[in-house]
DNA sequence: CGTTGCCTTGAAGGTTTTCAACCAGTGTGG
DNA sequence: CCACACTGGTTGAAAACCTTCAAGGCAACG
């Protein structure tokens, strides 16, 4: 972790997405006081590691993170990508120790709320927002599940782009210019396909004029055509 | 729903798995008073339907349920199976209306906690158990995710059996005699493969002496061999 | 300038899907 | 009582798709 900055929930652009979503100004100040600071991580830095004590609840404030789990054979498997406003690191609450690791994909700031502060947060009025975050998390995971039930690489990838676009749009961004700071290797792993499959599918889509890639930015040119190959359940609508 | 029965948390065999897991006897009585009753459903009966208001939190007390979502083209997709002690129906908390339907696979009883009663439950001492349930839910979904990242049908099915066995063992059952009251069609849909693939794979495994099926009971004879074909991430260990 | 990380492309092989036929058990109406 | 339809599952053969193994490209870096 590089440094910490004051939480400043009242001026945080992510406030309407996270635990603060239902709060008024006075409550926002109370929340910021409880949370204290947000921590800033450089790309590649770990937010927590497998085995660390789960004594905090994490929410991405800006940037992006990935969570990875180690398979018995020692390879790492990407279990999730998380962007601004998303809660992560919930798996450890059962045992009190993390079952996965989380690391920043880009310069990323994260609000880390102490579990011991949660009762106070409920009294401030965050309980409803927490339920909503849980509901959203469940929805995202369910849609990922449906994505993975598609067998064709083309369909998985298209569904991923559409889902990510939709999430990004809800965060106030553009659904056609996607911020995806992960490597293709990670994405392939996450989508349950080989790097070669992903590369080929991406090439085909690019050649077909469906999208272009410029570093971490994927630009979707013809979302309708993407929807056509995504099969069922690409979007929540 | 056929009928309702008193919640009786103190004598419920599922109490150590659900929201009651951390409570003492006095707290258990308070919880039972708040919850009131559990509802009993016959096989095929809906617990809730898509579009219903999400004003309750559901926990399976006994039996089994499946959750299904409708695809844009109108087919149903099985998004989950839930057994005793498992929480379900969380997706609706974001919008206040359910995004999926839930129905009993067998004679099933379900505790349905009003969302408006949650603050009182937190004060009783259920807040920690709720976090643990969320953590478990997250863990289950992550393992399902890893299962679906396997491409081979054999690996998916083996991983499913092992994961289900582990869950069932934690519920006090036997990890080698699995209670799976769903139809093969549902299971195939859930595992992201065709019914034909599932049938073939099941036949192969049975012929190999790995398991036998008797109605809703699947008996695993050689879990080690199952583990061998399951690839990585069949289990949580 | 060689190395490394990250990605692309090619060809062969393997597994699943698809389409189709078929079977057993069950319930229904005449 | 029997023909009939229906649900749920099994099995076969061809086609489609992905994975695997292998080679190569390219920019960054020391």
């Amino acid at each position: 972790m590089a440094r910490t900055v004051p939480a400043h929930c009242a001026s945080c652009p992510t406030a309407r997405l996270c635990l603060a979503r239902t709060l008024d100004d006075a409550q926002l100040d109370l929340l910021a006081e409880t949370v204290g600071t947000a921590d800033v991580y450089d790309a590649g830095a770990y937010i927590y590691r497998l085995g660390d004590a789960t004594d905090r609840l994490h929410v991405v404030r800006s940037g992006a993170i990935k969570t990875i789990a180690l398979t018995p054979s020692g390879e790492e498997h990407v279990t999730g990508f998380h962007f601004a406003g998303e809660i992560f690191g919930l798996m450890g609450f059962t045992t009190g120790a993390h079952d996965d690791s989380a690391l920043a994909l880009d310069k990323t700031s994260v609000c880390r709320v102490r579990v011991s502060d949660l009762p106070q947060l409920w009294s401030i009025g965050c309980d409803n927002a927490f339920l909503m975050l849980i509901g959203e998390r469940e929805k995202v995971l369910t849609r990922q599940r449906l994505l993975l039930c598609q067998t064709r690489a083309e369909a998985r990838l298209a569904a991923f782009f559409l889902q990510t676009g939709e999430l990004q749009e809800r965060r106030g961004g553009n659904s056609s210019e996607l911020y995806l700071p992960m490597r293709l290797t990670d994405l392939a792993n996450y989508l349950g396909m080989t790097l070669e499959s992903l590369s080929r599918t991406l090439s085909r889509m690019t050649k077909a004029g469906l999208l272009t890639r410029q570093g971490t930015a994927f630009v979707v040119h013809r979302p309708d055509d993407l929807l056509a190959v995504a099969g069922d359940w690409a979007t929540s609508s």
Side-chain angles (χ1 to χ4, degrees), chain A residues 197-210:
Chain A
S197 266
L198 176 58
S199 178
R200 273 186 255 267
T201 309
L202 221 41
S203 293
R204 245 179 288 138
M205 285 183 170
T206 305
K207 282 201 184 81
L210 287 176

Side-chain angles (χ1 to χ4, degrees), chain A residues 12-148:
Chain A
C12 174
T14 322
R16 291 289 163 249
L17 298 167
C18 74
L19 284 171
R21 66 171 64 185
T22 59
L23 305 185
D24 60 32
D25 287 348
Q27 290 171 317
L28 280 174
D29 287 340
L30 281 170
L31 176 61
E33 210 170 288
T34 306
V35 173
T37 56
D39 297 330
V40 181
Y41 300 82
D42 289 323
Y46 280 85
I47 289 95
Y48 61 78
R49 287 168 194 267
L50 190 143
D52 285 357
T54 307
D55 50 8
R56 290 171 185 259
L57 189 148
H58 298 82
V59 181
V60 178
R61 187 184 167 102
S62 69
I65 69 115
K66 72 171 174 183
T67 51
I68 60 173
L70 280 174
T71 68
S73 52
E75 300 154 48
E76 65 180 42
H77 192 110
V78 178
T79 51
F81 298 117
H82 296 266
F83 301 90
E86 288 189 290
I87 197 168
F88 68 96
L90 298 171
M91 266 207 294
F93 284 133
T94 315
T95 59
H98 283 292
D99 292 309
D100 56 0
S101 302
L103 45 84
L105 292 169
D106 201 348
K107 187 165 189 131
T108 299
S109 83
V110 177
C111 289
R112 302 168 68 238
V113 182
R114 278 172 293 273
V115 172
S116 56
D117 287 339
L118 287 181
Q120 186 175 350
L121 256 59
W122 301 161
S123 70
I124 290 174
C126 289
D127 49 346
N128 216 337
F130 181 68
L131 272 183
M132 290 171 83
L133 275 183
I134 295 296
E136 250 151 43
R137 178 85 188 114
E138 189 88 2
K139 235 186 240 183
V140 167
L141 285 174
T142 300
R143 281 167 60 187
Q144 281 180 24
R145 199 184 189 294
L146 293 161
L147 178 158
L148 289 174

Side-chain angles (χ1 to χ4, degrees), chain A residues 183-199:
Chain A
R183 290 168 308 180
L184 289 193
T185 308
D186 284 339
L187 186 55
N189 190 311
Y190 173 77
L191 292 177
M193 59 179 86
T194 58
L195 172 61
E196 293 94 325
S197 266
L198 176 58
S199 178

